[in-house]
Amino acid sequence: MYLPTVRTATATWLAGTAAALVVQGVFPEKFAETTAWGVNAGWQREIAIWNLGTLVAGGAIVAGDSDPIRAQLRGLTVLSALFGTNHAVAAVRSGKPGNIAWAVINGAGVVSSLAALSRRETPAR
């Protein structure tokens, strides 16, 4: 019986995540037609963004990044940047306070993450 390695299983999972990114990010209407939930472009973008952030972090870890915490932070930075952009666009269009707040909060996350990533540290063991 074949048992995949943890690295192989994770890479396979990430391949599925990449497929979901494409489906939700590029073909959201076509996908929505096949579900009970229908189209919600804002939420479908958020799902695609989550998948991209997961791929950035997971891909670096599977590739053997020597510092998985930094790899994860890079993924989280991508998430905050794109979530913030999605909320900022919605805020400009709607003026809704929730979108404004989350655009600002995610922007602060990006600034904090980039500041931390700019530091040269040796991996914690």
Side-chain angles (χ1 to χ4, degrees), residues 84 87 99-109:
H87 280 286
N99 293 118
I100 295 166
W102 286 107
V104 171
I105 290 165
N106 277 285

Side-chain angles (χ1 to χ4, degrees), residues 1 20 22 25 27 35-36 38 46 63 71 75 77 85 87 92 96 99 102 107:
M1 172 181 184
V22 172
F27 306 107
T35 71
E46 297 262 323
T77 304
T85 300
H87 280 286
V92 167
K96 297 280 186 174
N99 293 118
W102 286 107

Side-chain angles (χ1 to χ4, degrees), residues 43-59:
W43 284 114
Q44 286 178 274
R45 269 190 306 276
E46 297 262 323
I47 292 166
I49 290 166
W50 186 262
N51 288 334
L52 180 59
T54 300
L55 287 169
V56 169

Side-chain angles (χ1 to χ4, degrees), residues 21-100:
L21 167 64
V22 172
V23 168
Q24 292 286 10
V26 181
F27 306 107
E29 293 86 11
K30 288 188 182 281
F31 171 73
E33 291 171 4
T34 69
T35 71
W37 303 300
V39 176
N40 183 315
W43 284 114
Q44 286 178 274
R45 269 190 306 276
E46 297 262 323
I47 292 166
I49 290 166
W50 186 262
N51 288 334
L52 180 59
T54 300
L55 287 169
V56 169
I61 293 167
V62 168
D65 190 299
S66 64
D67 188 348
I69 295 171
R70 288 177 74 82
Q72 181 67 37
L73 185 56
R74 286 193 299 272
L76 294 171
T77 304
V78 169
L79 287 175
S80 285
L82 295 176
F83 283 145
T85 300
N86 195 37
H87 280 286
V89 169
V92 167
R93 291 180 180 159
S94 71
K96 297 280 186 174
N99 293 118
I100 295 166

